[in-house]
Amino acid sequence: MEILPVGIYGAYPAPGCASACYLVRGSDATVVLDMGSGSLSALRKYIEPKDVDAFVLSHLHYDHFCDALPLAYYPGRHVIYCPATPSECFTLLKKSPSHDVRVINEGAHIKVGSMTFDFMRTVHPVETYAVRVSEGGRSFVYTADTQWTDRLIDFCRGSELVLTDCSFPAGTPHMTAEEGARLGRESGTRVIAIHFSPVYDASPSLSALGIPEAEAGRTIKAW
Ligand SMILES: [Zn+2]
């Protein structure tokens, strides 16, 4: 299972980069997790949207979903899984006749090719889901945006890898590097940091804790 970070920024991207977007290649299907700002252009460096089997949007904050809107002009029909709130964003996504929008919630279990997707509601200002992607008895977790919650420990336990939102300073709706390290320790999983702030440098704290950082364009082997 390979994950290609296409966009790794939170809030807004650094120049020439993209906000949250991760291309997941399973054995027989391809799925994109999140479509933040700049990601439609960045994604097309690697794959055309017509070759993506489904888009899974963890939540409808702009840095995770806004490029799913111009996707409406791209030829073809696009399968998009996302939460149904905030309703004004959901309505915009639903409006396009080329979008086949399907609602996710906690407990939803979806299948794309041989990959399955399970969801856990995170702690974030809007309805947000961490995603567990599984195939052939193995899995990885994309925490999406979240503050610390003990529930993440069980959700991540037993997975091969956790891509986690632990690169923002304390006091934001995200985890800190220390919390990312705690998640790795308590769930017994390998953690890679994602969702970097364009204005705050998390690298010193991440490297002090031995947490590697995802890099745009550099493939991660989940297993
Ligand atoms: Zn968010």
Coordinates of all heavy atoms in Angstrom, one line a residue, residues 139-203:
S139 N -3.6 -2.2 7.7 CA -4.2 -0.9 7.6 C -3.3 0.2 8.0 O -2.3 0.0 8.6 CB -5.5 -0.9 8.5 OG -5.1 -1.0 9.8
F140 N -3.7 1.4 7.5 CA -3.0 2.6 8.1 C -4.1 3.6 8.4 O -5.3 3.5 8.0 CB -2.0 3.2 7.1 CG -2.6 4.0 5.9 CD1 -2.9 5.4 6.1 CD2 -2.9 3.4 4.7 CE1 -3.5 6.1 5.0 CE2 -3.5 4.1 3.7 CZ -3.8 5.5 3.8
V141 N -3.8 4.6 9.3 CA -4.7 5.6 9.7 C -4.3 7.0 9.3 O -3.1 7.3 9.4 CB -4.9 5.6 11.2 CG1 -5.7 6.8 11.7 CG2 -5.6 4.3 11.7
Y142 N -5.2 7.7 8.8 CA -5.1 9.2 8.5 C -5.9 9.9 9.5 O -7.2 9.7 9.5 CB -5.5 9.4 7.0 CG -5.7 10.9 6.7 CD1 -4.6 11.7 6.6 CD2 -6.9 11.4 6.3 CE1 -4.7 13.0 6.3 CE2 -7.0 12.7 5.9 CZ -5.9 13.6 5.9 OH -6.0 14.9 5.5
T143 N -5.3 10.6 10.4 CA -6.1 11.1 11.5 C -7.0 12.3 11.1 O -7.9 12.7 11.8 CB -5.3 11.6 12.7 OG1 -4.5 12.7 12.3 CG2 -4.4 10.5 13.3
A144 N -6.6 12.9 9.9 CA -7.2 14.2 9.5 C -7.0 15.2 10.6 O -6.0 15.0 11.4 CB -8.7 14.0 9.2
D145 N -7.8 16.2 10.8 CA -7.6 17.2 11.8 C -8.2 16.8 13.1 O -9.4 16.4 13.1 CB -8.2 18.5 11.3 CG -7.4 19.2 10.2 OD1 -6.4 18.5 9.7 OD2 -7.7 20.3 9.8
T146 N -7.4 17.0 14.1 CA -8.0 16.6 15.4 C -7.2 17.2 16.6 O -5.9 17.3 16.4 CB -8.1 15.1 15.6 OG1 -8.8 14.7 16.8 CG2 -6.7 14.4 15.6
Q147 N -7.8 17.4 17.7 CA -7.1 17.6 18.9 C -7.0 16.3 19.6 O -7.5 15.3 19.1 CB -8.0 18.5 19.8 CG -8.0 20.0 19.3 CD -8.9 20.8 20.2 OE1 -10.1 21.1 19.8 NE2 -8.4 21.3 21.3
W148 N -6.2 16.2 20.6 CA -6.0 15.0 21.3 C -7.3 14.4 21.8 O -8.1 15.1 22.4 CB -5.0 15.1 22.5 CG -4.9 13.8 23.3 CD1 -5.6 13.5 24.4 CD2 -4.2 12.7 22.9 NE1 -5.3 12.2 24.7 CE2 -4.4 11.7 23.8 CE3 -3.3 12.5 21.9 CZ2 -3.8 10.4 23.8 CZ3 -2.6 11.2 21.8 CH2 -2.9 10.2 22.7
T149 N -7.5 13.1 21.6 CA -8.6 12.4 22.2 C -8.1 11.0 22.5 O -7.5 10.4 21.6 CB -9.9 12.4 21.4 OG1 -10.7 11.3 21.9 CG2 -9.7 12.2 19.9
D150 N -8.4 10.4 23.6 CA -8.0 9.0 23.9 C -8.5 8.0 22.9 O -7.9 6.9 22.7 CB -8.4 8.6 25.3 CG -7.6 9.3 26.4 OD1 -6.6 9.9 26.1 OD2 -8.1 9.3 27.6
R151 N -9.6 8.3 22.3 CA -10.2 7.4 21.4 C -9.3 7.1 20.2 O -9.4 6.0 19.6 CB -11.6 8.0 20.8 CG -12.6 8.1 21.9 CD -13.9 8.6 21.3 NE -14.5 7.6 20.5 CZ -15.1 7.9 19.3 NH1 -15.2 9.1 18.9 NH2 -15.7 6.9 18.7
L152 N -8.4 8.0 19.9 CA -7.5 7.8 18.8 C -6.6 6.6 19.0 O -6.2 5.9 18.1 CB -6.6 9.0 18.5 CG -7.2 10.1 17.7 CD1 -6.3 11.3 17.7 CD2 -7.4 9.7 16.2
I153 N -6.3 6.3 20.3 CA -5.4 5.2 20.6 C -5.9 3.9 20.1 O -5.2 3.1 19.4 CB -5.1 5.2 22.1 CG1 -4.5 6.5 22.6 CG2 -4.2 4.0 22.5 CD1 -4.4 6.7 24.1
D154 N -7.2 3.6 20.4 CA -7.8 2.3 20.0 C -8.0 2.3 18.5 O -7.8 1.3 17.8 CB -9.2 2.1 20.7 CG -9.0 1.5 22.0 OD1 -7.9 1.1 22.3 OD2 -10.0 1.6 22.8
F155 N -8.3 3.5 17.9 CA -8.5 3.5 16.5 C -7.3 3.2 15.7 O -7.3 2.6 14.6 CB -9.1 4.9 16.1 CG -9.7 5.0 14.7 CD1 -10.8 4.3 14.4 CD2 -9.0 5.7 13.7 CE1 -11.4 4.4 13.1 CE2 -9.5 5.8 12.4 CZ -10.7 5.1 12.1
C156 N -6.1 3.7 16.2 CA -4.8 3.5 15.5 C -4.2 2.1 15.9 O -3.3 1.7 15.1 CB -3.9 4.6 15.9 SG -4.4 6.2 15.3
R157 N -4.5 1.6 17.0 CA -3.8 0.3 17.4 C -4.0 -0.8 16.4 O -5.0 -1.0 15.9 CB -4.4 -0.1 18.8 CG -3.6 -1.3 19.4 CD -4.1 -1.6 20.8 NE -3.6 -0.6 21.8 CZ -4.4 0.0 22.7 NH1 -5.7 -0.3 22.7 NH2 -3.9 0.9 23.5
G158 N -2.8 -1.4 16.1 CA -2.9 -2.5 15.2 C -2.6 -2.1 13.8 O -2.5 -2.9 12.9
S159 N -2.6 -0.8 13.5 CA -2.3 -0.4 12.1 C -0.8 -0.3 11.9 O 0.0 -0.3 12.9 CB -2.9 1.0 11.9 OG -2.4 2.0 12.7
E160 N -0.4 -0.2 10.7 CA 1.0 -0.2 10.3 C 1.6 1.2 10.4 O 2.9 1.3 10.6 CB 1.2 -0.7 8.9 CG 0.5 -2.0 8.5 CD 1.2 -3.2 9.1 OE1 2.4 -3.2 9.3 OE2 0.5 -4.2 9.4
L161 N 0.8 2.2 10.3 CA 1.3 3.5 10.2 C 0.1 4.5 10.5 O -1.0 4.2 10.2 CB 1.7 3.7 8.7 CG 2.0 5.1 8.2 CD1 3.3 5.6 8.8 CD2 2.0 5.2 6.7
V162 N 0.5 5.6 11.1 CA -0.5 6.7 11.3 C 0.1 8.0 10.8 O 1.2 8.5 11.1 CB -0.8 6.9 12.8 CG1 -1.8 8.0 13.0 CG2 -1.2 5.6 13.5
L163 N -0.7 8.6 9.8 CA -0.4 9.9 9.3 C -1.1 10.9 10.2 O -2.4 10.9 10.2 CB -0.8 10.1 7.9 CG -0.2 9.2 6.8 CD1 -0.7 9.5 5.5 CD2 1.3 9.4 6.8
T164 N -0.4 11.7 11.0 CA -1.2 12.5 12.0 C -0.9 14.0 12.0 O 0.2 14.4 11.7 CB -0.9 11.8 13.4 OG1 -1.9 12.4 14.3 CG2 0.5 12.1 13.9
D165 N -2.0 14.7 12.3 CA -2.0 16.1 12.4 C -1.4 16.5 13.8 O -2.0 16.7 14.8 CB -3.5 16.5 12.4 CG -3.8 17.9 12.7 OD1 -2.8 18.8 12.6 OD2 -4.9 18.2 13.1
C166 N 0.0 16.6 13.8 CA 0.7 17.0 15.0 C 1.8 18.0 14.8 O 2.8 18.0 15.4 CB 1.3 15.7 15.7 SG 2.5 14.9 14.7
S167 N 1.5 19.0 13.9 CA 2.5 19.9 13.5 C 2.1 21.4 13.8 O 2.7 22.3 13.2 CB 2.8 19.7 12.1 OG 3.0 18.4 11.8
F168 N 1.1 21.6 14.6 CA 0.7 22.9 15.0 C 1.0 23.2 16.4 O 1.2 22.3 17.2 CB -0.9 23.1 14.8 CG -1.2 23.6 13.4 CD1 -0.9 22.9 12.2 CD2 -1.9 24.8 13.2 CE1 -1.2 23.3 11.0 CE2 -2.3 25.3 12.0 CZ -1.9 24.5 10.8
P169 N 1.1 24.5 16.8 CA 1.4 24.8 18.2 C 0.2 24.4 19.1 O -0.9 24.3 18.7 CB 1.7 26.3 18.2 CG 1.1 26.8 16.9 CD 1.0 25.7 16.0
A170 N 0.5 24.4 20.4 CA -0.6 24.1 21.4 C -1.6 25.3 21.3 O -1.3 26.4 20.9 CB 0.0 24.1 22.8
G171 N -2.9 24.9 21.7 CA -3.9 25.9 21.7 C -4.6 26.1 20.4 O -5.4 27.0 20.2
T172 N -4.4 25.2 19.5 CA -5.1 25.2 18.2 C -6.0 23.9 18.1 O -5.8 23.0 18.9 CB -4.1 25.2 17.0 OG1 -3.4 24.0 16.9 CG2 -3.1 26.3 17.1
P173 N -6.9 23.8 17.1 CA -7.7 22.6 17.0 C -6.9 21.4 16.4 O -7.4 20.7 15.6 CB -8.9 23.0 16.1 CG -8.7 24.4 15.8 CD -7.3 24.8 16.1
H174 N -5.6 21.3 16.7 CA -4.7 20.3 16.1 C -3.9 19.7 17.3 O -3.8 20.3 18.4 CB -3.8 20.9 15.1 CG -4.6 21.6 14.0 ND1 -5.2 20.9 12.9 CD2 -4.9 22.9 13.8 CE1 -5.8 21.8 12.2 NE2 -5.7 23.0 12.7
M175 N -3.2 18.6 17.0 CA -2.3 18.1 18.0 C -0.9 18.7 17.9 O -0.5 19.2 16.9 CB -2.2 16.6 17.9 CG -3.5 15.9 18.2 SD -3.2 14.1 18.5 CE -3.0 13.5 16.8
T176 N -0.2 18.7 19.0 CA 1.2 19.1 19.0 C 2.1 17.9 18.7 O 1.6 16.8 18.7 CB 1.6 19.7 20.4 OG1 1.4 18.6 21.4 CG2 0.7 20.8 20.8
A177 N 3.4 18.2 18.5 CA 4.3 17.1 18.3 C 4.4 16.1 19.5 O 4.4 14.9 19.3 CB 5.7 17.7 18.1
E178 N 4.3 16.7 20.7 CA 4.3 15.8 21.9 C 3.1 14.9 21.9 O 3.2 13.7 22.2 CB 4.2 16.7 23.2 CG 5.5 17.4 23.5 CD 5.8 18.6 22.6 OE1 4.8 19.1 21.9 OE2 6.9 19.1 22.5
E179 N 1.9 15.4 21.4 CA 0.7 14.5 21.4 C 0.8 13.5 20.3 O 0.4 12.4 20.4 CB -0.5 15.4 21.2 CG -0.8 16.2 22.5 CD -1.9 17.3 22.3 OE1 -1.9 17.9 21.2 OE2 -2.6 17.6 23.3
G180 N 1.5 13.9 19.2 CA 1.7 12.9 18.1 C 2.6 11.8 18.6 O 2.4 10.6 18.3
A181 N 3.6 12.1 19.4 CA 4.6 11.1 19.9 C 3.8 10.2 20.9 O 4.0 9.0 20.9 CB 5.7 11.8 20.6
R182 N 2.9 10.8 21.7 CA 2.1 10.0 22.6 C 1.2 9.0 21.9 O 1.1 7.9 22.3 CB 1.3 11.0 23.5 CG 0.4 10.3 24.5 CD -0.4 11.2 25.3 NE -1.4 10.5 26.1 CZ -2.4 11.0 26.7 NH1 -2.6 12.3 26.7 NH2 -3.2 10.2 27.4
L183 N 0.6 9.5 20.8 CA -0.3 8.6 20.0 C 0.5 7.4 19.5 O 0.1 6.3 19.6 CB -0.9 9.4 18.9 CG -1.8 8.6 18.0 CD1 -3.0 8.0 18.8 CD2 -2.4 9.5 16.9
G184 N 1.7 7.7 19.0 CA 2.6 6.6 18.5 C 2.9 5.6 19.6 O 2.8 4.4 19.4
R185 N 3.3 6.1 20.8 CA 3.7 5.3 21.9 C 2.5 4.5 22.4 O 2.6 3.3 22.6 CB 4.2 6.3 23.0 CG 5.2 5.7 23.9 CD 5.8 6.9 24.8 NE 4.9 7.8 25.4 CZ 4.8 9.1 25.2 NH1 5.7 9.7 24.4 NH2 3.9 9.8 25.8
E186 N 1.4 5.1 22.7 CA 0.3 4.4 23.3 C -0.5 3.5 22.4 O -1.1 2.5 22.8 CB -0.6 5.4 24.0 CG 0.1 6.2 25.1 CD -0.8 7.0 26.0 OE1 -2.0 6.8 26.0 OE2 -0.3 7.8 26.8
S187 N -0.4 3.8 21.1 CA -1.1 2.8 20.2 C -0.1 1.8 19.6 O -0.6 0.9 18.9 CB -1.8 3.6 19.0 OG -0.8 4.3 18.2
G188 N 1.2 2.0 19.8 CA 2.2 1.1 19.3 C 2.3 1.2 17.8 O 2.6 0.1 17.2
T189 N 2.1 2.3 17.2 CA 2.2 2.5 15.8 C 3.3 3.5 15.4 O 3.6 4.4 16.1 CB 0.9 2.9 15.1 OG1 0.3 4.0 15.9 CG2 -0.1 1.8 15.1
R190 N 3.7 3.3 14.1 CA 4.7 4.3 13.5 C 3.9 5.5 13.1 O 2.9 5.4 12.5 CB 5.3 3.6 12.3 CG 6.2 4.4 11.5 CD 7.0 3.4 10.5 NE 6.2 2.9 9.5 CZ 6.2 3.3 8.2 NH1 7.1 4.2 7.8 NH2 5.5 2.7 7.3
V191 N 4.4 6.7 13.5 CA 3.8 7.9 13.3 C 4.6 8.8 12.3 O 5.8 8.9 12.4 CB 3.6 8.7 14.6 CG1 3.3 10.1 14.4 CG2 2.5 8.1 15.4
I192 N 3.9 9.4 11.3 CA 4.5 10.3 10.4 C 3.7 11.6 10.5 O 2.4 11.6 10.5 CB 4.6 9.8 9.0 CG1 5.5 8.6 8.9 CG2 5.0 10.9 8.0 CD1 5.6 8.0 7.5
A193 N 4.3 12.7 10.7 CA 3.7 14.0 10.8 C 3.2 14.6 9.5 O 3.9 14.5 8.5 CB 4.6 15.0 11.5
I194 N 2.0 15.2 9.5 CA 1.5 15.8 8.3 C 0.9 17.2 8.8 O 1.0 17.6 9.9 CB 0.4 15.0 7.6 CG1 -0.7 14.6 8.6 CG2 1.0 13.8 6.9 CD1 -1.9 14.0 8.0
H195 N 0.2 17.9 7.8 CA -0.6 19.1 8.1 C 0.3 20.2 8.7 O 0.1 20.6 9.9 CB -1.8 18.7 9.0 CG -2.9 19.6 8.8 ND1 -3.2 20.7 9.7 CD2 -3.9 19.7 7.9 CE1 -4.3 21.3 9.3 NE2 -4.7 20.7 8.2
F196 N 1.2 20.7 7.9 CA 2.2 21.7 8.4 C 1.6 23.1 8.2 O 1.0 23.4 7.2 CB 3.5 21.5 7.6 CG 4.0 20.1 7.8 CD1 3.9 19.2 6.8 CD2 4.7 19.8 9.0 CE1 4.3 17.9 7.0 CE2 5.2 18.5 9.2 CZ 5.0 17.5 8.2
S197 N 1.9 23.9 9.2 CA 1.5 25.3 9.2 C 2.4 26.0 8.3 O 3.6 25.8 8.3 CB 1.6 25.9 10.6 OG 1.6 27.3 10.5
P198 N 1.8 27.0 7.5 CA 2.7 27.8 6.6 C 3.5 28.8 7.4 O 4.4 29.5 6.9 CB 1.7 28.4 5.6 CG 0.4 28.4 6.4 CD 0.4 27.3 7.3
V199 N 3.2 29.0 8.7 CA 3.8 30.1 9.5 C 4.5 29.6 10.7 O 5.3 30.3 11.4 CB 2.8 31.2 9.9 CG1 2.3 32.0 8.6 CG2 1.6 30.6 10.6
Y200 N 4.3 28.3 11.1 CA 4.9 27.8 12.3 C 5.8 26.6 12.0 O 5.4 25.7 11.3 CB 3.8 27.4 13.3 CG 4.3 26.5 14.5 CD1 5.0 27.1 15.5 CD2 4.1 25.2 14.5 CE1 5.4 26.4 16.6 CE2 4.5 24.4 15.6 CZ 5.2 25.0 16.6 OH 5.6 24.3 17.7
D201 N 7.1 26.7 12.4 CA 8.0 25.6 12.1 C 8.0 24.5 13.2 O 8.5 24.7 14.2 CB 9.4 26.2 11.9 CG 10.4 25.1 11.5 OD1 10.0 24.0 11.2 OD2 11.6 25.4 11.5
A202 N 7.4 23.4 12.9 CA 7.3 22.3 13.8 C 8.5 21.4 13.8 O 8.7 20.5 14.7 CB 6.0 21.5 13.6
S203 N 9.4 21.6 12.8 CA 10.5 20.6 12.6 C 11.3 20.4 13.9 O 11.7 19.3 14.2 CB 11.4 21.1 11.5 OG 10.7 20.9 10.3

